[in-house]
Amino acid sequence: MPPPPLLACLLTLLLATAVAPPAGAFCVSKKAGAHSKPGAPAKPKPAPAPAPPKPTPLIPGADIVRSLCLKTDYPDLCMSSISGQPQPQLPGGRRLDGAGVLRLAMAAVRAKAAEARAAAAALAKDPRTQPQALGPLHDCVQSFDDLADSLDGAEKAIAAGDRGTTGTMLDTVRTDVDTCDQGFEEREELKPVMAKRDAELAKLASNCLAIATAAGLR
């Protein structure tokens, strides 16, 4: 027996309500990357660009320092060694001249020679030093003392405007450096413990000669 019409209507309404989605229901699309595994490492950030190198500090008369150093075989060492020296106080707003640049370059040689002399003397007293090296090391100490005297002579010659003596004294500075090296070169069994210092001193002494020539001081 079929159900009464009213009951059939109520059943139809109940079935329709059960099948229909609730009001306000909607689909949400998954974001890109939703299928990535949980805990995956984040992409590394690019490394920051390295900082640019610090420029060599400028000094009064820097233009002439640069122009004269460019005449040398070791211009970078020339400029850095000069900028590292105490700068002269020039009266009346005067600017550095060629003689002033040469004096600063000579001061750099003097400072490095003092360091080398102290190193040679310390090695000569070190019980671990090869006994055969003691003679050459004492020769180095003497050479660096002679070098300081040669620089003093060059200073006096520059002040007197004696170009010939200036050149001779600066040549002697270069020879004094070579004298230290030769003591080790003549004995192949010896470790050249002063080679690095002598090489830098030789470059600084060479710069002095080139500056003196470019500035018309020798």
Side-chain angles (χ1 to χ4, degrees):
M1 173 179 182
L6 181 60
L7 181 59
C9 182
L10 289 173
L11 287 173
T12 302
L13 289 175
L14 288 172
L15 287 173
T17 303
V19 173
F26 57 90
C27 295
V28 179
S29 61
K30 293 185 178 180
K31 292 183 180 179
H35 294 289
S36 60
K37 295 180 180 180
K43 291 184 179 179
K45 296 182 179 179
K54 294 182 179 180
T56 300
L58 295 178
I59 60 175
D63 289 343
I64 192 171
V65 171
R66 178 176 174 78
S67 64
L68 289 176
C69 281
L70 288 175
K71 302 289 186 180
T72 70
D73 290 334
Y74 313 100
D76 291 340
L77 176 61
C78 176
M79 287 185 277
S80 63
S81 63
I82 287 176
S83 68
Q85 299 307 307
Q87 304 305 310
Q89 299 297 319
L90 302 177
R94 288 172 52 197
R95 293 178 65 82
L96 203 62
D97 58 6
V101 175
L102 178 56
R103 287 189 177 96
L104 289 171
M106 289 164 55
V109 176
R110 191 185 296 274
K112 285 297 178 182
E115 292 177 7
R117 185 194 185 284
L123 285 169
K125 296 177 180 178
D126 191 333
R128 295 169 297 179
T129 299
Q130 294 173 273
Q132 300 90 338
L134 296 179
L137 285 170
H138 287 303
D139 290 342
C140 285
V141 171
Q142 183 60 53
S143 294
F144 296 136
D145 286 339
D146 293 341
L147 184 151
D149 292 338
S150 299
L151 288 173
D152 290 340
E155 287 272 8
K156 293 176 183 177
I158 294 169
D162 186 345
R163 295 170 57 188
T165 302
T166 298
T168 299
M169 291 294 99
L170 292 177
D171 281 328
T172 305
V173 168
R174 183 69 176 83
T175 302
D176 292 331
V177 177
D178 292 339
T179 300
C180 177
D181 252 351
Q182 288 168 359
F184 291 92
E185 291 173 354
E186 292 169 356
R187 299 184 181 184
E188 295 182 358
E189 74 275 12
L190 295 181
K191 183 179 178 181
V193 291
M194 298 299 295
K196 185 175 180 180
R197 294 180 183 276
D198 287 345
E200 184 176 12
L201 272 170
K203 292 177 182 179
L204 292 171
S206 170
N207 285 346
C208 288
L209 286 164
I211 289 171
T213 300
L217 298 171
R218 69 184 284 253

